Amino acid sequence: FSRKYKGSSKDTTMASIWVAHGIMAFLAWAVAAPLAVLAASLRLPSESNWFLVHKGLNLAALLLTLIAVILAINNVEASRQFTENHHIVGLTMAIVVSLQVTSGFLRHIKRDVWNIVHRITGVILLSMGVWQLQDGLKMIDATQLVPW
């Protein structure tokens, strides 16, 4: 952020949008997605219903990611959109996680190949999520986000 968010109500609103963007991304990639992987890996909470938990958490990660991306796109001037790695990686993640979740509904097709691709894509997405979260934190100065 190059602008100070102290002052006008517009600046305060923009700061609030960036905070919401960060919270959505954090919930998606530090909470929902890792828990989805954990549920699948350890068959939690039980062997019979781990898949429902895995699917629900992945849908939550998808929804939270899409909200975060929409907030970002609406809060960045058109001339600056997709000019930084953080922007490009965020959009890429939104597209790939959309494909990943959609492919979950097609898992019966070529099951062995699907399992491998699904797992590799999931690991890549989680890695990108960790990078994206730390990159987002580097982009902000917490003193600029305090509206008072």
Side-chain angles (χ1 to χ4, degrees), residues 1-72:
F1 299 120
S2 59
R3 81 173 12 187
K4 293 285 184 193
Y5 289 110
K6 298 175 182 174
S8 76
S9 62
K10 180 181 179 191
D11 290 342
T12 301
T13 300
M14 287 180 69
S16 298
I17 291 170
W18 286 122
V19 169
H21 167 81
I23 290 170
M24 296 298 124
F26 175 83
L27 290 173
W29 295 102
V31 179
L35 288 175
V37 171
L38 193 63
S41 299
L42 301 178
R43 299 296 195 249
L44 296 173
S46 69
E47 187 67 38
S48 61
N49 63 4
W50 70 268
F51 183 72
L52 292 174
V53 173
H54 179 71
K55 182 169 72 171
L57 288 166
N58 276 315
L59 286 169
L62 169 62
L63 215 67
L64 291 163
T65 299
L66 293 176
I67 291 168
V69 169
I70 290 166
L71 287 171

